[in-house]
Structures are given as structure tokens and as C-alpha cells.
Amino acid sequence: QVQWVESGGGLVQVGGSLRLSCAASGRTSSSYAMGWFRQAPGKTREFVAAISWGGGITLYADSVKGRSTISRDNAKNTVYLQMNSLKPEDTAVYYCAQGNSIPSLSAGTWGQGTQVTVSS
């Protein structure tokens, strides 16, 4: 099965922006939903955003809605998360996930994560 590799994380100041990427390593299935989750120190993993295969459906957690955008380029087998107006509470390891549908993402195939740190 496919492996997913996240990149683009790093250290950014409050109010800054980052674009996270998640690229496939290996062969993917013909169609699949993708999403982003995050886990902060001492907390459980939480949903951030999701996108359907064709991009027609996107979902966002209330905590990032209005300042984050999920997108995908299926020709490149890559999914993105653009994050703007970053806050200290956005600090977490960000993971991408693949699933048959958006509701099944949490039980799907996950990447290794990329660290996002927002400094005040």
C-alpha cells in the first residue's frame, strides 16, 4: 500500500503562514479522500481538514476555518494544507491521512507527521 510523506512544517511567528504538503510514495488507489489531523503535546489527535477525491467537498475544524485551505493535485498524488494567521495553539505535529471517504479517514493510512511550531 501507499506511504504518505508530510513536509513543510517548521518554526513560524504568530500571524505567519505555512504550506504543508503530503506526497505519496508508491502506488495509490484510483480514488480516495484525504485529510489533515494534528496532535499537540499532551493532547489527543484532532481533525483539522478533509477533502474529497474530486475536491468538491472540503471540511474544516472550527479552530482553523477561515484561515486554512486544503487542496490536492491528483496528478501529483499530493495534498496541501495552507495555514495563515497562525496561532500558538496551532503548534502540533500535523499528519495527513488517506481513506475511502472523509468519514473513514481516522481509520485510514497515515503519514509520519511534520512539526509545526508557532512562537509568540
Side-chain angles (χ1 to χ4, degrees), residues 1 13 25 38 40 43 47 55-56 69 77 79 81-82:
Q1 71 180 9
Q13 293 181 327
S25 177
R38 67 187 182 186
K43 296 184 177 181
F47 170 78
T69 302
N77 292 132
V79 182
L81 181 67
Q82 177 70 42

Side-chain angles (χ1 to χ4, degrees), residues 52-105:
S52 62
W53 166 252
I57 301 172
T58 56
L59 298 174
Y60 299 93
D62 288 341
S63 58
V64 303
K65 187 175 296 183
R67 57 190 184 91
S68 297
T69 302
I70 187 170
S71 61
R72 65 192 298 169
D73 185 340
N74 289 339
K76 297 181 179 179
N77 292 132
T78 302
V79 182
Y80 306 95
L81 181 67
Q82 177 70 42
M83 303 187 69
N84 304 318
S85 301
L86 285 163
K87 306 174 181 179
E89 48 264 48
D90 293 320
T91 296
V93 177
Y94 284 71
Y95 302 88
C96 67
Q98 175 194 15
N100 291 331
S101 63
I102 289 175
S104 69
L105 283 171

Side-chain angles (χ1 to χ4, degrees), residues 11-70:
L11 177 63
V12 63
Q13 293 181 327
V14 170
S17 298
L18 286 173
R19 188 182 74 160
L20 308 183
S21 298
C22 178
S25 177
R27 188 180 299 275
T28 61
S29 59
S30 58
S31 63
Y32 49 90
M34 292 293 297
W36 288 92
F37 294 75
R38 67 187 182 186
Q39 187 167 19
K43 296 184 177 181
T44 58
R45 190 172 296 179
E46 66 175 343
F47 170 78
V48 177
I51 187 168
S52 62
W53 166 252
I57 301 172
T58 56
L59 298 174
Y60 299 93
D62 288 341
S63 58
V64 303
K65 187 175 296 183
R67 57 190 184 91
S68 297
T69 302
I70 187 170

